[in-house]
Amino acid sequence: MKIAVIGTGYVGLVTGTCFAETGNQVTCVDIDEKKIEKMRNGIVPIYEPGLEDLFNRNKNEGRLSFTTNLQEGIKDAKIIFLALPTPPGENGSADLKYILKVADDLGPILDQYVVIVDKSTVPVGTAELVSSHIAKNATVEFDVVSNPEFLREGVAVEDFMKPDRVVIGTSSEKAKNMMNKLYAPLVRQGNPVIFMDERSAEMTKYAANAFLATKITFMNEIANLCEKVGANVDDIRRGIGTDSRIGKRFLFAGIGYGGSCFPKDVQALEKTSKEFDYEFKILQAVMDVNEDQKTKLIPRLKEYFGGDLKGKTIALWGLAFKPYTDDIREAPSLYNIKELLEAGCIIKAYDPEAAANVKGVIGDVITYTKGPYEALKEADALMIMTEWPQFRTPEFDVMNVLLKNKVIFDGRNLYELDAMKELGYTYYSIGRETVKA
Ligand SMILES: NC(=O)C1=CN([C@@H]2O[C@H](COP(=O)(O)OP(=O)(O)OC[C@H]3O[C@@H](n4cnc5c(N)ncnc54)[C@H](O)[C@@H]3O)[C@@H](O)[C@H]2O)C=CC1
Ligand SMILES: O=C(O)[C@H]1O[C@H](OP(=O)(O)OP(=O)(O)OC[C@H]2O[C@@H](n3ccc(=O)[nH]c3=O)[C@H](O)[C@@H]2O)[C@H](O)[C@@H](O)[C@@H]1O
């Protein structure tokens, strides 16, 4: 089937590449000329494990092409995916300007029946809105379908190719059949395509993200309480995660959730509730707790250094909002960097993938090192922001020599408390006893 994907960020790129992989003819459209040029030259503009090989194979075999021209991109397409940004607008609700601009542009250039798919995360009612914008200038029939995306960055290809479920919101039989056909190769036995109306599909996406953000936040609050009562949040995670009603995943306490989606989607759902005159109390609490959680290690640093951080050199391990990505949107590291700089610290940071993106945002106010150990040289303390696997089993012999003080502030609970005691470290983590050397 010929399909077009408008917008080639994380979602568009993965959607386009994976549907090419299942044998479709895919054209990716983006207004960013540099990005399109890069992709034409075989360069994948994001870091996403497994994507580059898939991308280049499909490109080289002629199933994946790129253009900045919308009309050329949608030519002969049976399905058009909108994978456009929906950032928070001024009041926190999702800004639909990118989606509606493309909807306006599409109307006059459609020349045959087509299914237009909202792949972006959009508030309830957007499918109808997109439909009305296209209809203003359209001369052919079309259907607008809501097909939210549930992939996670870092495992995006795996999530897309083997989805737990595919949600499709449509009231059109014709669109339903076409979407079913497109997704058939991706849906494993038992992992269903779930059909519903457009509004329910739009709401499903927000419900999923808000629920997961709440689950993490609940554990972060349990962690905060654990610190006060002298319990260990990792034991509690194991203790409750084995209950299949609760489930093992997304129970890891840490320095708050970040990324391009949880923060904006929780906020947008709260705004939607307000618009419909409903006070969604849990969501406000989730946002408040997460805000505090992100910088909760800073007071511990102050405690350790006797109140004043001025002139202290802090080594930061991890800048990305989570491992296996170079994405730094809403990363807890950025909030900590800001506070550390305000307190007069010198920062030496290492991240295997995300340093260039941080440099692009904050420049050279911190030092970016080539490896994790270089960041530790002459550092007064180590802070851990992202659980990249290489940080889990470091060479403590090397660290002992490089760090000025044997002290670690760990926002991701990477090390066992007993091991830190044995190694003679002062070790602050989340929701667990502080180990004092
Ligand atoms: N990043 C993620 O992991 C996930 C994101 N989503 C949702 O998917 C949507 C897209 O997110 P990302 O891929 O992260 O966005 P992104 O911001 O990384 O990329 C969006 C792309 O759209 C392009 N664009 C903007 N206006 C355009 C236009 N008029 N014509 C063509 N291209 C245009 C931009 O140049 C950019 O390349 C958002 O609604 C997001 O909430 C959903 C699931 C996962
Ligand atoms: O709508 C989206 O964009 C996507 O948002 C999240 O995916 P993503 O933001 O890529 O990353 P997650 O793995 O969900 O992690 C989000 C944040 O939560 C944090 N987290 C996650 C899990 C956990 O147990 N504890 C925890 O603090 C991570 O460190 C990270 O900062 C969802 O998991 C995806 O299903 C969804 O498609």
Side-chain angles (χ1 to χ4, degrees), residues 6-12 29-32 35 70 83-86 98 101-102 105 119-122 149-153 205 260-261 264-265 327 329:
I6 321 297
T8 57
Y10 262 97
V11 171
V29 183
D30 206 290
I31 44 167
D32 186 335
K35 212 181 228 187
L70 184 64
L84 295 152
T86 49
Y98 300 97
K101 160 86 175 64
V102 172
D105 292 347
K119 196 62 165 152
S120 301
T121 302
V122 289
E149 181 49 55
F150 299 99
L151 66 79
R152 289 161 299 159
E153 291 180 16
K205 173 65 194 179
S260 67
C261 292
K264 90 169 162 57
D265 293 346
D327 200 333
R329 291 179 278 186

mmCIF file of all heavy atoms in Angstrom, residues 6-12 29-32 35 70 83-86 98 101-102 105 119-122 149-153 205 260-261 264-265 327 329, ligand 1:
data_model
loop_
_atom_site.group_PDB
_atom_site.id
_atom_site.type_symbol
_atom_site.label_atom_id
_atom_site.label_comp_id
_atom_site.label_asym_id
_atom_site.label_seq_id
_atom_site.Cartn_x
_atom_site.Cartn_y
_atom_site.Cartn_z
ATOM 1 N N ILE A 6 3.439 12.474 7.480
ATOM 2 C CA ILE A 6 3.754 13.910 7.545
ATOM 3 C C ILE A 6 4.330 14.209 8.924
ATOM 4 O O ILE A 6 3.653 14.027 9.942
ATOM 5 C CB ILE A 6 2.497 14.794 7.330
ATOM 6 C CG1 ILE A 6 1.576 14.215 6.249
ATOM 7 C CG2 ILE A 6 2.882 16.239 7.035
ATOM 8 C CD1 ILE A 6 2.151 14.128 4.878
ATOM 9 N N GLY A 7 5.577 14.679 8.931
ATOM 10 C CA GLY A 7 6.289 14.912 10.193
ATOM 11 C C GLY A 7 7.220 13.733 10.434
ATOM 12 O O GLY A 7 6.765 12.590 10.515
ATOM 13 N N THR A 8 8.528 14.014 10.516
ATOM 14 C CA THR A 8 9.476 12.914 10.690
ATOM 15 C C THR A 8 10.288 13.098 11.966
ATOM 16 O O THR A 8 11.507 13.094 11.963
ATOM 17 C CB THR A 8 10.436 12.782 9.481
ATOM 18 O OG1 THR A 8 11.102 14.043 9.330
ATOM 19 C CG2 THR A 8 9.694 12.435 8.222
ATOM 20 N N GLY A 9 9.585 13.300 13.081
ATOM 21 C CA GLY A 9 10.233 13.251 14.401
ATOM 22 C C GLY A 9 10.328 11.788 14.784
ATOM 23 O O GLY A 9 10.344 10.903 13.921
ATOM 24 N N TYR A 10 10.396 11.529 16.076
ATOM 25 C CA TYR A 10 10.480 10.141 16.558
ATOM 26 C C TYR A 10 9.389 9.278 15.954
ATOM 27 O O TYR A 10 9.633 8.223 15.376
ATOM 28 C CB TYR A 10 10.332 10.123 18.086
ATOM 29 C CG TYR A 10 11.653 10.052 18.783
ATOM 30 C CD1 TYR A 10 12.266 11.207 19.252
ATOM 31 C CD2 TYR A 10 12.291 8.841 18.959
ATOM 32 C CE1 TYR A 10 13.480 11.152 19.883
ATOM 33 C CE2 TYR A 10 13.512 8.773 19.597
ATOM 34 C CZ TYR A 10 14.105 9.924 20.055
ATOM 35 O OH TYR A 10 15.311 9.861 20.671
ATOM 36 N N VAL A 11 8.155 9.771 16.119
ATOM 37 C CA VAL A 11 7.013 8.937 15.770
ATOM 38 C C VAL A 11 6.898 8.754 14.265
ATOM 39 O O VAL A 11 6.720 7.636 13.771
ATOM 40 C CB VAL A 11 5.725 9.534 16.369
ATOM 41 C CG1 VAL A 11 4.491 8.832 15.846
ATOM 42 C CG2 VAL A 11 5.769 9.418 17.882
ATOM 43 N N GLY A 12 7.057 9.848 13.523
ATOM 44 C CA GLY A 12 6.930 9.769 12.077
ATOM 45 C C GLY A 12 7.989 8.872 11.462
ATOM 46 O O GLY A 12 7.695 8.027 10.603
ATOM 47 N N VAL A 29 7.272 13.153 4.738
ATOM 48 C CA VAL A 29 7.247 14.584 4.404
ATOM 49 C C VAL A 29 7.606 15.383 5.649
ATOM 50 O O VAL A 29 7.083 15.118 6.729
ATOM 51 C CB VAL A 29 5.827 15.007 3.948
ATOM 52 C CG1 VAL A 29 5.802 16.474 3.527
ATOM 53 C CG2 VAL A 29 5.328 14.110 2.823
ATOM 54 N N ASP A 30 8.503 16.352 5.483
ATOM 55 C CA ASP A 30 8.810 17.247 6.602
ATOM 56 C C ASP A 30 9.126 18.628 6.049
ATOM 57 O O ASP A 30 9.616 18.750 4.920
ATOM 58 C CB ASP A 30 10.002 16.707 7.414
ATOM 59 C CG ASP A 30 9.976 17.188 8.862
ATOM 60 O OD1 ASP A 30 10.206 18.414 9.082
ATOM 61 O OD2 ASP A 30 9.722 16.380 9.760
ATOM 62 N N ILE A 31 8.834 19.665 6.845
ATOM 63 C CA ILE A 31 9.158 21.024 6.382
ATOM 64 C C ILE A 31 10.630 21.360 6.639
ATOM 65 O O ILE A 31 11.139 22.357 6.131
ATOM 66 C CB ILE A 31 8.293 22.113 7.074
ATOM 67 C CG1 ILE A 31 8.184 21.839 8.567
ATOM 68 C CG2 ILE A 31 6.929 22.234 6.433
ATOM 69 C CD1 ILE A 31 7.635 22.998 9.351
ATOM 70 N N ASP A 32 11.290 20.515 7.432
ATOM 71 C CA ASP A 32 12.683 20.771 7.775
ATOM 72 C C ASP A 32 13.579 20.238 6.644
ATOM 73 O O ASP A 32 13.831 19.031 6.541
ATOM 74 C CB ASP A 32 12.980 20.068 9.111
ATOM 75 C CG ASP A 32 14.361 20.382 9.638
ATOM 76 O OD1 ASP A 32 15.244 20.718 8.826
ATOM 77 O OD2 ASP A 32 14.556 20.285 10.866
ATOM 78 N N LYS A 35 16.704 18.185 7.570
ATOM 79 C CA LYS A 35 16.367 16.830 8.011
ATOM 80 C C LYS A 35 16.108 15.918 6.809
ATOM 81 O O LYS A 35 16.610 14.796 6.737
ATOM 82 C CB LYS A 35 15.093 16.915 8.876
ATOM 83 C CG LYS A 35 15.022 15.891 9.981
ATOM 84 C CD LYS A 35 13.722 16.061 10.750
ATOM 85 C CE LYS A 35 13.985 16.081 12.232
ATOM 86 N NZ LYS A 35 12.746 16.090 13.013
ATOM 87 N N LEU A 70 4.494 18.643 0.199
ATOM 88 C CA LEU A 70 3.339 17.885 0.701
ATOM 89 C C LEU A 70 2.574 17.218 -0.443
ATOM 90 O O LEU A 70 2.229 16.027 -0.378
ATOM 91 C CB LEU A 70 2.422 18.826 1.499
ATOM 92 C CG LEU A 70 1.223 18.191 2.182
ATOM 93 C CD1 LEU A 70 1.636 17.191 3.256
ATOM 94 C CD2 LEU A 70 0.314 19.266 2.810
ATOM 95 N N ALA A 83 2.060 12.866 11.931
ATOM 96 C CA ALA A 83 2.911 12.614 13.107
ATOM 97 C C ALA A 83 3.591 13.935 13.474
ATOM 98 O O ALA A 83 4.810 14.042 13.497
ATOM 99 C CB ALA A 83 3.923 11.526 12.790
ATOM 100 N N LEU A 84 2.760 14.905 13.725
ATOM 101 C CA LEU A 84 3.236 16.282 13.929
ATOM 102 C C LEU A 84 3.320 16.605 15.413
ATOM 103 O O LEU A 84 2.659 15.961 16.233
ATOM 104 C CB LEU A 84 2.262 17.229 13.221
ATOM 105 C CG LEU A 84 2.270 17.030 11.703
ATOM 106 C CD1 LEU A 84 0.944 17.411 11.089
ATOM 107 C CD2 LEU A 84 3.417 17.808 11.083
ATOM 108 N N PRO A 85 4.097 17.625 15.773
ATOM 109 C CA PRO A 85 4.232 17.958 17.193
ATOM 110 C C PRO A 85 2.916 18.486 17.769
ATOM 111 O O PRO A 85 2.166 19.162 17.061
ATOM 112 C CB PRO A 85 5.289 19.070 17.226
ATOM 113 C CG PRO A 85 5.797 19.231 15.838
ATOM 114 C CD PRO A 85 4.874 18.541 14.908
ATOM 115 N N THR A 86 2.679 18.196 19.035
ATOM 116 C CA THR A 86 1.541 18.783 19.765
ATOM 117 C C THR A 86 2.058 19.300 21.112
ATOM 118 O O THR A 86 1.692 18.784 22.164
ATOM 119 C CB THR A 86 0.414 17.745 19.989
ATOM 120 O OG1 THR A 86 0.987 16.544 20.534
ATOM 121 C CG2 THR A 86 -0.310 17.415 18.720
ATOM 122 N N TYR A 98 0.217 22.880 14.433
ATOM 123 C CA TYR A 98 0.924 22.133 13.376
ATOM 124 C C TYR A 98 -0.037 21.198 12.645
ATOM 125 O O TYR A 98 -0.013 21.083 11.423
ATOM 126 C CB TYR A 98 2.076 21.319 13.974
ATOM 127 C CG TYR A 98 3.103 22.177 14.673
ATOM 128 C CD1 TYR A 98 3.067 22.359 16.054
ATOM 129 C CD2 TYR A 98 4.107 22.820 13.945
ATOM 130 C CE1 TYR A 98 3.999 23.155 16.700
ATOM 131 C CE2 TYR A 98 5.047 23.623 14.584
ATOM 132 C CZ TYR A 98 4.986 23.789 15.960
ATOM 133 O OH TYR A 98 5.909 24.583 16.582
ATOM 134 N N LYS A 101 -2.629 23.223 10.563
ATOM 135 C CA LYS A 101 -1.994 23.829 9.372
ATOM 136 C C LYS A 101 -1.937 22.778 8.253
ATOM 137 O O LYS A 101 -2.307 23.055 7.111
ATOM 138 C CB LYS A 101 -0.585 24.318 9.767
ATOM 139 C CG LYS A 101 0.403 24.549 8.634
ATOM 140 C CD LYS A 101 0.240 25.952 8.067
ATOM 141 C CE LYS A 101 1.253 26.326 7.017
ATOM 142 N NZ LYS A 101 1.239 25.560 5.791
ATOM 143 N N VAL A 102 -1.485 21.571 8.617
ATOM 144 C CA VAL A 102 -1.393 20.519 7.597
ATOM 145 C C VAL A 102 -2.795 20.133 7.114
ATOM 146 O O VAL A 102 -3.013 19.911 5.920
ATOM 147 C CB VAL A 102 -0.603 19.299 8.126
ATOM 148 C CG1 VAL A 102 -0.669 18.134 7.142
ATOM 149 C CG2 VAL A 102 0.853 19.685 8.378
ATOM 150 N N ASP A 105 -3.767 22.594 4.644
ATOM 151 C CA ASP A 105 -3.006 22.419 3.396
ATOM 152 C C ASP A 105 -3.489 21.205 2.603
ATOM 153 O O ASP A 105 -3.428 21.190 1.371
ATOM 154 C CB ASP A 105 -1.504 22.245 3.705
ATOM 155 C CG ASP A 105 -0.880 23.533 4.252
ATOM 156 O OD1 ASP A 105 -1.530 24.595 4.167
ATOM 157 O OD2 ASP A 105 0.254 23.463 4.783
ATOM 158 N N LYS A 119 -1.787 10.433 14.250
ATOM 159 C CA LYS A 119 -0.851 9.588 14.999
ATOM 160 C C LYS A 119 -0.338 10.367 16.207
ATOM 161 O O LYS A 119 0.083 9.793 17.206
ATOM 162 C CB LYS A 119 0.310 9.220 14.063
ATOM 163 C CG LYS A 119 1.168 8.065 14.503
ATOM 164 C CD LYS A 119 0.386 6.825 14.594
ATOM 165 C CE LYS A 119 1.092 5.532 14.674
ATOM 166 N NZ LYS A 119 0.256 4.540 15.402
ATOM 167 N N SER A 120 -0.370 11.681 16.083
ATOM 168 C CA SER A 120 0.076 12.530 17.194
ATOM 169 C C SER A 120 -0.860 12.341 18.386
ATOM 170 O O SER A 120 -1.993 11.878 18.225
ATOM 171 C CB SER A 120 0.018 14.002 16.791
ATOM 172 O OG SER A 120 0.819 14.236 15.669
ATOM 173 N N THR A 121 -0.377 12.718 19.552
ATOM 174 C CA THR A 121 -1.218 12.693 20.758
ATOM 175 C C THR A 121 -2.042 13.977 20.772
ATOM 176 O O THR A 121 -1.488 15.074 20.881
ATOM 177 C CB THR A 121 -0.329 12.601 22.012
ATOM 178 O OG1 THR A 121 0.460 11.419 21.899
ATOM 179 C CG2 THR A 121 -1.154 12.567 23.283
ATOM 180 N N VAL A 122 -3.351 13.813 20.623
ATOM 181 C CA VAL A 122 -4.213 14.997 20.469
ATOM 182 C C VAL A 122 -5.440 14.913 21.369
ATOM 183 O O VAL A 122 -5.966 13.826 21.618
ATOM 184 C CB VAL A 122 -4.669 15.145 18.997
ATOM 185 C CG1 VAL A 122 -3.519 15.572 18.116
ATOM 186 C CG2 VAL A 122 -5.298 13.867 18.477
ATOM 187 N N GLU A 149 -0.190 6.568 19.260
ATOM 188 C CA GLU A 149 1.023 5.757 19.273
ATOM 189 C C GLU A 149 1.494 5.547 20.714
ATOM 190 O O GLU A 149 1.516 6.481 21.492
ATOM 191 C CB GLU A 149 2.109 6.472 18.452
ATOM 192 C CG GLU A 149 3.409 5.723 18.379
ATOM 193 C CD GLU A 149 3.209 4.264 17.988
ATOM 194 O OE1 GLU A 149 2.595 3.988 16.951
ATOM 195 O OE2 GLU A 149 3.651 3.381 18.756
ATOM 196 N N PHE A 150 1.886 4.312 21.030
ATOM 197 C CA PHE A 150 2.292 3.996 22.402
ATOM 198 C C PHE A 150 3.776 3.649 22.517
ATOM 199 O O PHE A 150 4.216 3.154 23.551
ATOM 200 C CB PHE A 150 1.445 2.830 22.935
ATOM 201 C CG PHE A 150 -0.027 3.142 22.976
ATOM 202 C CD1 PHE A 150 -0.870 2.714 21.967
ATOM 203 C CD2 PHE A 150 -0.565 3.907 24.013
ATOM 204 C CE1 PHE A 150 -2.231 3.025 21.983
ATOM 205 C CE2 PHE A 150 -1.925 4.221 24.041
ATOM 206 C CZ PHE A 150 -2.760 3.778 23.024
ATOM 207 N N LEU A 151 4.555 3.895 21.454
ATOM 208 C CA LEU A 151 5.968 3.494 21.519
ATOM 209 C C LEU A 151 6.731 4.300 22.561
ATOM 210 O O LEU A 151 6.358 5.424 22.889
ATOM 211 C CB LEU A 151 6.635 3.644 20.144
ATOM 212 C CG LEU A 151 6.816 5.045 19.531
ATOM 213 C CD1 LEU A 151 7.983 5.810 20.112
ATOM 214 C CD2 LEU A 151 6.975 4.920 18.041
ATOM 215 N N ARG A 152 7.794 3.676 23.084
ATOM 216 C CA ARG A 152 8.693 4.371 24.000
ATOM 217 C C ARG A 152 9.991 4.664 23.270
ATOM 218 O O ARG A 152 10.475 3.820 22.512
ATOM 219 C CB ARG A 152 9.037 3.494 25.211
ATOM 220 C CG ARG A 152 7.916 3.292 26.179
ATOM 221 C CD ARG A 152 8.188 2.078 27.036
ATOM 222 N NE ARG A 152 8.286 0.879 26.203
ATOM 223 C CZ ARG A 152 8.890 -0.261 26.563
ATOM 224 N NH1 ARG A 152 9.469 -0.362 27.735
ATOM 225 N NH2 ARG A 152 8.930 -1.307 25.766
ATOM 226 N N GLU A 153 10.570 5.830 23.499
ATOM 227 C CA GLU A 153 11.867 6.134 22.918
ATOM 228 C C GLU A 153 12.881 5.150 23.490
ATOM 229 O O GLU A 153 12.779 4.730 24.634
ATOM 230 C CB GLU A 153 12.271 7.576 23.238
ATOM 231 C CG GLU A 153 11.396 8.558 22.492
ATOM 232 C CD GLU A 153 11.749 10.015 22.756
ATOM 233 O OE1 GLU A 153 12.848 10.287 23.261
ATOM 234 O OE2 GLU A 153 10.919 10.874 22.439
ATOM 235 N N LYS A 205 -5.165 7.346 24.749
ATOM 236 C CA LYS A 205 -3.749 7.724 24.761
ATOM 237 C C LYS A 205 -3.404 8.547 26.014
ATOM 238 O O LYS A 205 -2.415 8.295 26.700
ATOM 239 C CB LYS A 205 -3.428 8.521 23.489
ATOM 240 C CG LYS A 205 -2.045 9.112 23.437
ATOM 241 C CD LYS A 205 -0.963 8.046 23.401
ATOM 242 C CE LYS A 205 0.395 8.645 23.699
ATOM 243 N NZ LYS A 205 1.465 7.677 23.713
ATOM 244 N N SER A 260 9.423 13.873 26.395
ATOM 245 C CA SER A 260 8.611 14.796 25.599
ATOM 246 C C SER A 260 7.126 14.545 25.802
ATOM 247 O O SER A 260 6.305 15.289 25.277
ATOM 248 C CB SER A 260 8.967 14.648 24.125
ATOM 249 O OG SER A 260 8.572 13.371 23.671
ATOM 250 N N CYS A 261 6.758 13.499 26.542
ATOM 251 C CA CYS A 261 5.330 13.155 26.565
ATOM 252 C C CYS A 261 4.649 13.154 27.929
ATOM 253 O O CYS A 261 3.616 13.799 28.079
ATOM 254 C CB CYS A 261 5.121 11.845 25.838
ATOM 255 S SG CYS A 261 5.453 12.069 24.072
ATOM 256 N N LYS A 264 3.951 16.743 29.289
ATOM 257 C CA LYS A 264 2.991 17.535 28.498
ATOM 258 C C LYS A 264 1.610 16.876 28.474
ATOM 259 O O LYS A 264 0.592 17.564 28.486
ATOM 260 C CB LYS A 264 3.533 17.798 27.094
ATOM 261 C CG LYS A 264 3.196 16.777 26.041
ATOM 262 C CD LYS A 264 3.554 17.265 24.654
ATOM 263 C CE LYS A 264 3.637 16.138 23.651
ATOM 264 N NZ LYS A 264 2.460 15.305 23.481
ATOM 265 N N ASP A 265 1.576 15.550 28.462
ATOM 266 C CA ASP A 265 0.281 14.877 28.340
ATOM 267 C C ASP A 265 -0.515 14.913 29.654
ATOM 268 O O ASP A 265 -1.740 15.047 29.629
ATOM 269 C CB ASP A 265 0.461 13.437 27.843
ATOM 270 C CG ASP A 265 0.970 13.393 26.405
ATOM 271 O OD1 ASP A 265 0.929 14.454 25.732
ATOM 272 O OD2 ASP A 265 1.418 12.323 25.953
ATOM 273 N N ASP A 327 17.429 12.096 23.673
ATOM 274 C CA ASP A 327 16.386 13.097 23.931
ATOM 275 C C ASP A 327 16.575 13.711 25.325
ATOM 276 O O ASP A 327 16.756 12.995 26.308
ATOM 277 C CB ASP A 327 15.005 12.408 23.840
ATOM 278 C CG ASP A 327 13.875 13.402 23.616
ATOM 279 O OD1 ASP A 327 14.027 14.575 24.016
ATOM 280 O OD2 ASP A 327 12.841 13.005 23.049
ATOM 281 N N ARG A 329 14.406 16.330 26.332
ATOM 282 C CA ARG A 329 13.229 17.145 26.647
ATOM 283 C C ARG A 329 12.745 16.822 28.059
ATOM 284 O O ARG A 329 12.550 15.665 28.412
ATOM 285 C CB ARG A 329 12.131 16.906 25.599
ATOM 286 C CG ARG A 329 12.530 17.483 24.235
ATOM 287 C CD ARG A 329 11.485 17.248 23.181
ATOM 288 N NE ARG A 329 11.566 15.931 22.584
ATOM 289 C CZ ARG A 329 10.811 15.528 21.546
ATOM 290 N NH1 ARG A 329 9.939 16.346 21.005
ATOM 291 N NH2 ARG A 329 10.942 14.315 21.055
HETATM 292 N N1 LIG B 1 8.323 11.011 20.996
HETATM 293 C C1 LIG B 1 7.645 9.951 21.373
HETATM 294 O O1 LIG B 1 8.196 8.999 21.900
HETATM 295 C C2 LIG B 1 6.171 9.867 21.163
HETATM 296 C C3 LIG B 1 5.449 10.955 20.693
HETATM 297 N N2 LIG B 1 4.086 10.860 20.519
HETATM 298 C C4 LIG B 1 3.328 12.001 19.973
HETATM 299 O O2 LIG B 1 3.601 12.069 18.560
HETATM 300 C C5 LIG B 1 3.626 13.427 18.128
HETATM 301 C C6 LIG B 1 4.943 13.734 17.443
HETATM 302 O O3 LIG B 1 5.961 13.593 18.398
HETATM 303 P P1 LIG B 1 7.511 13.543 17.983
HETATM 304 O O4 LIG B 1 7.690 12.572 16.880
HETATM 305 O O5 LIG B 1 8.275 13.350 19.238
HETATM 306 O O6 LIG B 1 7.678 15.030 17.411
HETATM 307 P P2 LIG B 1 8.973 15.833 16.961
HETATM 308 O O7 LIG B 1 8.817 17.189 17.476
HETATM 309 O O8 LIG B 1 10.197 15.034 17.263
HETATM 310 O O9 LIG B 1 8.843 15.862 15.353
HETATM 311 C C7 LIG B 1 7.829 16.466 14.643
HETATM 312 C C8 LIG B 1 8.269 16.710 13.202
HETATM 313 O O10 LIG B 1 7.203 17.369 12.503
HETATM 314 C C9 LIG B 1 7.788 18.279 11.582
HETATM 315 N N3 LIG B 1 6.804 19.266 11.147
HETATM 316 C C10 LIG B 1 6.313 20.355 11.785
HETATM 317 N N4 LIG B 1 5.426 21.005 11.014
HETATM 318 C C11 LIG B 1 5.348 20.323 9.850
HETATM 319 C C12 LIG B 1 4.596 20.493 8.654
HETATM 320 N N5 LIG B 1 3.763 21.504 8.482
HETATM 321 N N6 LIG B 1 4.774 19.598 7.661
HETATM 322 C C13 LIG B 1 5.631 18.558 7.794
HETATM 323 N N7 LIG B 1 6.354 18.351 8.908
HETATM 324 C C14 LIG B 1 6.222 19.220 9.924
HETATM 325 C C15 LIG B 1 8.960 18.861 12.350
HETATM 326 O O11 LIG B 1 9.893 19.463 11.474
HETATM 327 C C16 LIG B 1 9.492 17.599 13.047
HETATM 328 O O12 LIG B 1 10.458 16.945 12.253
HETATM 329 C C17 LIG B 1 3.337 14.266 19.376
HETATM 330 O O13 LIG B 1 1.962 14.499 19.450
HETATM 331 C C18 LIG B 1 3.752 13.341 20.529
HETATM 332 O O14 LIG B 1 3.038 13.617 21.709
HETATM 333 C C19 LIG B 1 3.402 9.709 20.770
HETATM 334 C C20 LIG B 1 4.067 8.592 21.218
HETATM 335 C C21 LIG B 1 5.506 8.574 21.437
#
